[in-house]
Structures are given as C-alpha cells and as structure tokens.
Amino acid sequence: MKFNLILIIFLLYSNIGFSQESLLSLIDGKSTEYSRYIFKGTKIVNSESVEMPDAGVLQFMIQHRFGTLNSGFYNFYGLDNSQVRMSFYYGINDRLSVGIGRSSALKAIDSNLKYRLIRQSEGEKSFPLTICLNSSVVFKQYVTSNLPNNFLLSNQFSYSHQILLARKFNRNLSVQLSPTLIHYNLLPIDQLSHDLYSLGYGARYKLSNSVSVNIETFSQFNSENNINPLSIGFDIQTGGHVFQFHLSNSAFMIDRAFIHETYDSWGEGDIYFGFNISRVFTLKDQ
Amino acid sequence: MIRNLLPILLLMSINCFSQKYTANDGEITFFSYAPVEDIKAINKNVSAVYDISSNDIIFQLDISDFNFRKKLMQTHFNENYLESDIYPKANFIGKVIAVEGDKAKVKGLLTIHGITRDIEATGALVKKGDFVKILSEFKIKLEDYNISIPTIVMYKIAEEILINIEVELDSSE
C-alpha cells in the first residue's frame, strides 16, 4: 500500500513536470534561425559588405581619406590633404538597396544596386552563406575643353560587378569573399584589358558589442603595374552612427579605383588615414 | 495488479480530459518611457498555450521577432542588449493561481536574456466558446535580466519597461 502511494505521488509529480514540457513543445515553433548582423556597416572598409540598409531606411555616409602618413610635418602627416565621398543608400525592401555617391578627387559619380539572394541560416532551412550581388556604375567627369572632339560620352563609364559571399562563423568572426569584375569602357593607362578580375577578402572580428576590427584586401588576376590594396580599420557603433577609422594604402573609395588604381605600398609607408561616418534615417515605417 | 494500474489509468484519463488552448499569433508590446525618447517594439508572433484543467500557462516568443520603428534600434536590441543569437527566446512558464470573474492572476518563471525570475501578474482572462482571450500589463526591470545599455548609446532607456500582452488562444482539440 505504501509502495503504491509512493508510486502515485511519483507519477503525479513526473506528470506535472512532463506536462509543462509537453505544453512547451506544442508551441516550440520557429525552426530556422537566420544569421544577422554579419558586419556592422554596409562597407567592410572600402568595399561593399553583405549588409544593406533595412527596408525604408536611408543611410547617409561621409567618407574621408587624408594624405599619406609619410608626407611629413609640412603636410601635417597627410591631414592637410583630404578627399571626400558623400553618398546615400536606401533600402527599397529587405533584399534590395540602391546607392548614389560622389567622389571629390576622381570627379566621379557612382551608383550601385545590391541584392541579397540568400541568407545564412540554421535549422530546417539551412544554408552556410549569405550571398549578395552588387553592381555599380561610375561616371567619371572630365574637363570638356581638354577632350578630343571624337571623345564619346560612353568612354566616361566604368562598371563593377561583384558576388559577395559571407559567412558568420560565430558572433565575433565574419569572413567575406568578393569575386569582382571591373569593366572599363575606356582602356585605362597601364592596362591591357577592358575587363579586370579580382578576388576580395574581408573579415571582421568583434572586440566588444560596439567595436570591431576589420581587414580587407583584394588580389588581382590580370591587372598590370599596380599594387593590391590592403586596409585595416575599426568600426565603432553608437546610438545612431557607425564610425569606421582605418589605414589603407589606397586613398580611393570606389571599387575600380581602390582595386586597380592603387600604386602606393605599405612597405614604403604610403599609408592613408581615413574614416567613414554613416547615419541612418527611417523614412518609411514597416 | 489492478491496484498498480489504477493510478496510471487515472493519469491517462486526466490527460484525456485536459483541454488545451493555443495561439501562435499573440502580440506582446514593450514600452520604455524616457524623457528623450519613447521606445516601443511589437512582436506579433507570440506563442501561447493554456491548459484549462491543470491551469498551466506558457508564453514564448522569439526575441528577433520584435519590430521597432527604427531599424538601427532593432539591430542594437538584438545584437548588443538582448543578444538574440545566444538567447533567441524568451518565455513565461507558470500557472493561473486565481480567477475572479474575468480577472486572473498568474505566477511563474519569466526567462529573458538567459535569466529566470519569479514573477506575478494580473490581467484579464476571458473564455468565449472555443476562444480564450488573455490581456495583461506588467513591468520588468532591465537590471533584473542583466540587460545593460552602455553610456555610449545616445538614446536613453527607462530602467523599467512596460510589457503589454494581448493573446487570443483557440481550442487545440
């Protein structure tokens, strides 16, 4: 009898425990977890990351690049020289963003479209990478009086197409590969081909919740005479801004220029200090 | 032998009679009232289950389903403060301990940001045919759940957050 009583109590208790567990299992729904926040900014340093503004959000970005650190006290170690790119990016929906920018030193206007094909996810729908397509067009302005009469307007355009492949390995480490094709309508000085291929490598490592260190480089396949860009920077996130401070051997801020028009080398101390500041504005409520 | 089987049969019969109500589209909204800026976020994918025979009641939600008007705030909320990659879910597991007309009192364990606390809350619990509607409002303290907002963040967040629950459950059988 005593044994039976103990059994009943035991069963009752186990049933209570089990019943809440089983109730929980009734509603334990969501089976796919998407990896988000792979990078803090829409750019790793100079090149595009897989991040884009959220739908209905306008991002204003100011990028500054100063002169080389080895340019001496007379140039205040490069701070006397600065060039700027101002740009706007807008998230049309959760997958598509559009951007427009203007670079001072190159006198170039550029515009890009970024489209996210698939998101890294785990669970029922599992996929190892976040993949985006990024295409941009650059219109370089020339002083018209210097141009020959038969100079075509189309000569002023160049294009860049990238596949951005990113993986967030853990909450701190994200890595991105960016196979890139740059097409110049006008064959650039030093080059033998209108189409230049390169592969970009980027990574970020979070030092804390609001600070990360980023690194970015490109290796070029059929480009002549120029040097691969290498950039290292820090992203600092605050309430409304992302500040990115970095050092690079390129002073340019558009794809074609920092990948294929860099002639300065880290080894000789031709290092440019620069920063990006981005601020977001919510234009459209979701 | 029969005596031994009796409790098991009894338990099985209890399970048969138990009536469960479930929902997966409940709404939980939280508000932070602060001098500089009021912050509000809404989650419309709240799951809930209520077992009317045992009085067990459970709510569960995915932190990343909270929608903010400012998407950057949503990013910070997920990435830095609630750390939804480590603690993807928040839940309440408890019991209805008192019912008086349409008013009810619940007591149980609320888990947010990996930290579990005892809480009690009152609200409305209205049964209408195959539906049960639950409404409640209560406050939680950020520090109780180890949610710290660094000073570098410019927007101010109230130390106490108001939570509003509105869920309509339907009979699962």
Side-chain angles (χ1 to χ4, degrees):
Chain A
M1 190 59 211
K2 216 173 210 177
F3 176 74
N4 270 355
L5 198 68
I6 291 169
L7 187 74
I8 291 169
I9 292 167
F10 177 76
L11 275 171
L12 271 173
Y13 267 96
S14 67
N15 189 55
I16 289 165
F18 179 71
S19 113
Q20 281 197 332
E21 281 295 303
S22 69
L23 283 183
L24 196 59
S25 73
L26 278 180
I27 53 169
D28 229 346
K30 202 171 178 181
S31 46
T32 305
E33 279 296 327
Y34 291 96
S35 291
R36 288 161 215 264
Y37 321 122
I38 296 171
F39 291 94
K40 287 206 183 292
T42 56
K43 288 177 183 293
I44 302 174
V45 174
N46 287 315
S47 72
E48 296 289 330
S49 76
V50 289
E51 297 295 335
M52 56 180 76
D54 288 293
V57 171
L58 180 74
Q59 175 182 306
F60 175 54
M61 194 169 199
I62 301 177
Q63 295 168 273
H64 264 281
R65 301 295 182 271
F66 296 99
T68 56
L69 296 182
N70 64 356
S71 59
F73 181 72
Y74 180 73
N75 285 318
F76 205 54
Y77 305 101
L79 294 185
D80 285 354
N81 293 318
S82 99
Q83 53 158 312
V84 65
R85 176 174 176 272
M86 284 192 272
S87 54
F88 287 97
Y89 296 88
Y90 181 70
I92 294 170
N93 58 38
D94 279 341
R95 291 168 167 264
L96 183 67
S97 76
V98 59
I100 187 162
R102 171 69 166 62
S103 300
S104 66
L106 289 166
K107 303 286 178 197
I109 297 165
D110 64 280
S111 179
N112 84 316
L113 273 178
K114 202 193 282 186
Y115 182 75
R116 186 171 53 232
L117 288 174
I118 193 163
R119 241 182 183 163
Q120 181 183 338
S121 58
E122 275 175 31
E124 201 173 274
K125 275 189 276 174
S126 173
F127 197 78
L129 299 171
T130 292
I131 302 177
C132 290
L133 301 178
N134 178 54
S135 283
S136 66
V137 54
V138 174
F139 178 77
K140 186 170 166 32
Q141 293 168 283
Y142 293 98
V143 180
T144 36
S145 56
N146 294 345
L147 296 175
N149 285 333
N150 58 352
F151 190 82
L152 297 170
L153 179 75
S154 62
N155 284 339
Q156 294 176 261
F157 286 97
S158 61
Y159 306 90
S160 149
H161 304 288
Q162 294 183 298
I163 302 170
L164 312 176
L165 309 157
R167 178 163 173 81
K168 191 174 185 176
F169 284 93
N170 55 48
R171 70 193 319 245
N172 294 327
L173 178 67
S174 304
V175 173
Q176 181 177 313
L177 291 180
S178 321
T180 303
L181 162 65
I182 308 275
H183 175 84
Y184 290 83
N185 279 355
L186 186 66
L187 191 70
I189 306 166
D190 291 348
Q191 302 299 346
L192 301 173
S193 167
H194 286 275
D195 293 309
L196 300 178
Y197 297 91
S198 59
L199 176 61
Y201 313 85
R204 79 101 190 246
Y205 191 82
K206 263 169 81 170
L207 302 175
S208 75
N209 273 339
S210 43
V211 180
S212 74
V213 57
N214 294 7
I215 186 160
E216 171 192 287
T217 183
F218 278 77
S219 56
Q220 306 170 71
F221 297 120
N222 60 340
S223 180
E224 314 280 329
N225 294 329
N226 60 325
I227 289 171
N228 288 335
L230 172 67
S231 315
I232 297 166
F234 291 94
D235 285 4
I236 300 165
Q237 193 177 45
T238 68
H241 299 83
V242 177
F243 295 94
Q244 300 180 293
F245 298 94
H246 32 76
L247 297 171
S248 176
N249 60 334
S250 175
F252 300 121
M253 293 161 274
I254 52 177
D255 296 344
R256 66 164 238 201
F258 67 79
I259 301 173
H260 297 299
E261 295 162 31
T262 295
Y263 298 95
D264 295 312
S265 113
W266 276 78
E268 287 157 29
D270 301 323
I271 301 161
Y272 298 87
F273 171 66
F275 62 83
N276 304 341
I277 297 176
S278 71
R279 164 94 210 179
V280 291
F281 304 92
T282 303
L283 296 192
K284 213 171 79 185
D285 285 351
Q286 291 308 300
Chain B
M1 189 61 202
I2 288 170
R3 234 194 243 171
N4 275 350
L5 277 177
L6 196 68
I8 295 169
L9 285 170
L10 201 73
L11 280 172
M12 283 171 78
S13 67
I14 288 173
N15 274 347
C16 284
F17 283 122
S18 78
Q19 200 181 0
K20 296 181 191 77
Y21 293 85
T22 57
N24 54 26
D25 58 351
E27 290 187 13
I28 290 186
T29 314
F30 75 75
F31 304 89
S32 150
Y33 297 110
V36 182
E37 193 170 21
D38 289 340
I39 297 167
K40 177 186 161 185
I42 183 161
N43 187 326
K44 293 185 176 176
N45 299 315
V46 178
S47 304
V49 56
Y50 173 44
D51 187 334
I52 210 156
S53 55
S54 66
N55 279 326
D56 284 322
I57 186 160
I58 296 176
F59 295 94
Q60 181 157 281
L61 57 79
D62 283 286
I63 294 294
S64 58
D65 286 338
F66 272 106
N67 243 304
F68 289 67
R69 203 183 84 78
K70 290 187 177 172
K71 292 295 159 192
L72 190 68
M73 241 179 225
Q74 191 168 329
T75 303
H76 293 162
F77 172 80
N78 279 293
E79 196 184 7
N80 297 347
Y81 311 137
L82 272 289
E83 302 178 287
S84 61
D85 53 335
I86 304 174
Y87 314 107
K89 289 181 195 299
N91 62 31
F92 170 81
I93 299 175
K95 275 187 185 294
V96 177
I97 53 168
V99 182
E100 204 184 290
D102 285 346
K103 284 184 181 162
K105 194 172 188 182
V106 296
K107 189 177 187 317
L109 301 170
L110 179 64
T111 306
I112 303 172
H113 196 224
I115 290 170
T116 303
R117 297 265 176 195
D118 276 313
I119 69 155
E120 266 185 33
T122 52
L125 195 156
V126 186
K127 193 168 176 290
K128 246 190 217 167
D130 284 345
F131 297 96
V132 171
K133 188 151 192 175
I134 296 173
L135 303 166
S136 179
E137 210 166 65
F138 59 93
K139 282 182 175 175
I140 60 165
K141 276 190 178 153
L142 287 181
E143 60 175 356
D144 285 348
Y145 297 91
N146 206 7
I147 299 163
S148 55
I149 313 293
T151 48
I152 195 166
V153 173
M154 286 160 198
Y155 38 79
K156 287 276 173 285
I157 295 171
E159 285 171 10
E160 276 199 331
I161 304 293
L162 184 70
I163 313 273
N164 184 295
I165 298 179
E166 192 175 334
V167 185
E168 192 171 283
L169 305 96
D170 53 19
S171 167
S172 56
E173 261 99 19

